[in-house]
């Protein structure tokens, strides 16, 4: 067993894990954060995407011990004070999901994309979420949702600028 | 699936890492970004006794200017390669190929050194290292040695790295003169490995091609140089016709496999077409 210290969705945890424990299993089974799901055995689907130290990663392809000392944000930590993150709201409003299984990963990857590229073109959005597979929507409404969120987040960013 | 149990070491210096490898028992695996190793451990295709994680070794990370060469630390992530100003200036081919690797989540963790040490024939970076005549700096119990790219890739998933050694950094010589570079990759879906890809580095001189270096991805068990096409291009006119004629010899001396993605003869055809496109773009035509 190895001891890890990690902040997940703003809360500090100290836990013992086996070195072979994947981050996604730690999140789901030890912390009960089942919002992050597992969709494949091959690191392809992206359903397990979370942010580790600010960047989107596939939590099925990171060992929990590697997150020691780090900061993890899951889909469960995105809403602030009960208000959905603009990306969550946009997926809801633009019907960016059907069965919803890919959605946590899609949203986490999309938030990471906008962090680096706040105003992506349609092609850049499609490439930005190439690591996330959706078997239901055909991606069309997912792309629209990311576009809406980008617009809304740019708006609130410039509003914040004005307040300053 | 969950990997089989293993002992875990997390050194913070290269010397500590070499010690951990030496102490690790029969079957030690080095963990870089884990984007190839963790999937094979999940499938239990690998079940090492000890895993030595390099991710906390600061000296292995980052790109520096060393006069006539760029030095890329083995643990520099694909993401950091893509945003590095020195690579953009001196070796944009590396960034162009890295952009086609996997997806943003995998690029956030996967490393330049890990991709080269893994030496997957479909991997995009080995052919690029070969085309740029990169050198591999390897540390082992007896000290450091430097291996040219032409000797580094030995066979399918096999490199010149011996047991007990680790890849420290990759030296990429700076090119003098007017060079153009291009990476042309053929795959069918997003986030996929190359079916075939071509890395071209071309020096133009007065309407002619003075020198061309061409690396081929997935045209055999190791990355290859398209030597016949390179000789045909040396001194040739920088014209569409001359490039097309030279590109017809791009598959000479290759031994591509047949698999679900493509038959060998189709790969040979692709090598010719992609070489023509890559050289044309690299020559600025
Ligand atoms: C979904 C998916 C899609 C992908 N698509 C592509 C693609 O299109 N093109 C492409 O090129 N790659 C692709 N990859 C692979 C990706 O580039 C990996 O990052 C790379 O192959 C391995 O790098 P890593 O740092 O993750 O190495 P690891 O997985 O940690 O290690 C890989 C191997 O190299 C050894 N190793 C690593 N570092 C060292 C070192 N410093 N010294 C000695 N040995 C070392 C390890 O022991 C292991 O055997 C893909 C991966 C995934 C999961
Ligand atoms: S569960 Fe499919 S990529 Fe992680
Ligand atoms: S909504 Fe079902 S997989 Fe995307």
């Amino acid at each position: 067993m190895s001891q890890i210290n990690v902040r997940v969705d703003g809360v500090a945890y100290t836990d013992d894990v086996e070195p072979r424990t994947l981050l996604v299993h730690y999140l789901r089974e030890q912390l009960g954060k089942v919002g992050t799901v597992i969709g494949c055995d091959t690191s392809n689907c992206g359903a397990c995407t979370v942010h580790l130290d600010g960047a989107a990663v596939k939590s099925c392809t990171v060992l929990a011990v590697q997150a020691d000392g780090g900061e993890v944000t899951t889909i469960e930590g995105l809403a602030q004070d009960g208000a959905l993150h603009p990306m969550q709201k946009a997926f809801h409003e633009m019907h960016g999901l059907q069965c919803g299984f890919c959605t946590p990963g899609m949203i986490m990857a999309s938030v990471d994309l906008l962090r680096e590229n706040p105003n992506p073109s349609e092609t850049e959005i499609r490439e930005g979420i190439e690591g996330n597979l959706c078997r239901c929507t055909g991606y069309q409404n997912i792309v629209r949702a990311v576009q809406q969120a980008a617009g809304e987040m740019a708006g609130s960013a410039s509003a914040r600028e004005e307040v300053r | 699936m969950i990997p089989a149990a293993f002992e875990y070491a997390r050194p913070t210096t290269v010397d500590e890492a070499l010690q951990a490898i030496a102490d690790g028992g029969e079957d030690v695996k080095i963990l870089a970004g884990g984007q190839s190793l963790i999937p094979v451990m999940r499938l239990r295709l690998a079940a090492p006794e000890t895993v030595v994680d390099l991710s906390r070794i600061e000296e292995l990370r980052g790109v520096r200017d060393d006069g006539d060469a760029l030095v890329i630390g083995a643990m520099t992530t694909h993401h950091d390669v893509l945003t590095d100003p020195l690579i953009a200036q001196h070796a944009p081919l590396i960034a162009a190929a890295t952009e086609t690797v996997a997806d943003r989540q995998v690029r956030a963790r996967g490393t330049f050194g890990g991709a080269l040490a893994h030496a997957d024939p479909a991997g995009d970076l080995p052919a690029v290292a070969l085309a740029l005549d990169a050198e591999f700096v390897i540390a082992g119990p007896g000290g450091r040695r430097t291996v040219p790219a032409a000797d580094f890739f030995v066979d399918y998933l096999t490199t010149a790295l011996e047991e007990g050694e680790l890849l420290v950094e990759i030296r990429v010589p700076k090119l003098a003169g007017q060079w153009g570079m291009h990476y042309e990759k053929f795959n069918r879906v997003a986030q996929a490995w190359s079916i075939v890809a071509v890395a071209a580095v071309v020096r133009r001189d007065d309407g002619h091609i003075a020198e061309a270096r061409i690396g081929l991805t997935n045209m055999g068990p190791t990355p290859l140089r398209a030597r016949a096409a390179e000789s045909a291009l040396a001194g040739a006119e920088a014209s569409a016709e001359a490039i097309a004629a030279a590109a017809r010899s791009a598959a000479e001396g290759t031994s591509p496999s047949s698999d679900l993605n493509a038959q060998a003869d189709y790969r040979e055809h692709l090598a010719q077409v992609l070489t023509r496109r890559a050289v044309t773009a690299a020559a600025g035509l």
Side-chain angles (χ1 to χ4, degrees), chain B residues 226-252:
Chain B
R227 296 286 180 198
E230 289 181 0
S231 336
L233 284 166
E237 209 183 300
S239 69
E241 298 72 38
I243 292 172
R248 279 194 277 277
S249 57
E252 265 179 38

Side-chain angles (χ1 to χ4, degrees), chain A residues 43, chain B residues 30 32-37 78 101-102 110-111 114-115 123-124 167 185 192-193:
Chain A
S43 307
Chain B
I30 293 169
Q35 302 302 293
S36 292
L37 182 58
H78 297 315
V101 168
T111 65
D124 294 294
L167 178 61
K185 169 165 171 172
W193 297 79

Side-chain angles (χ1 to χ4, degrees), chain A residues 19-20 22 25 40-41 43-44 49 52 56-58 60-62 65-66 68 109 112-113 116 128 130-132, chain B residues 1-6 8 10 31 34-35 38-39 42 44 53 56 79 102-105 107-109 190-191:
Chain A
R20 64 171 168 165
L22 302 171
H25 288 134
C40 75
D41 247 340
S43 307
N44 281 98
T49 301
L52 174 58
V57 301
K58 293 179 175 177
C60 72
T61 317
V62 178
V65 278
Q66 294 185 290
D68 183 23
D112 184 52
L113 169 68
E116 271 197 340
E130 69 187 324
N132 296 73
Chain B
M1 259 166 55
I2 302 170
F6 54 81
Y8 176 73
R10 194 163 64 202
L31 176 68
Q35 302 302 293
I38 294 176
R42 285 176 75 190
R44 305 262 175 133
D53 181 356
R56 304 288 165 105
H79 172 271
D103 51 64
R104 60 187 296 110
Q105 292 97 314
R107 290 194 296 266
R109 302 282 305 169
Q191 184 221 41

Side-chain angles (χ1 to χ4, degrees), chain A residues 97-102 134-137:
Chain A
L97 60 144
Q98 288 176 24
C99 81
F101 200 81
C102 69
C134 177
R135 298 287 84 149
C136 301
T137 64

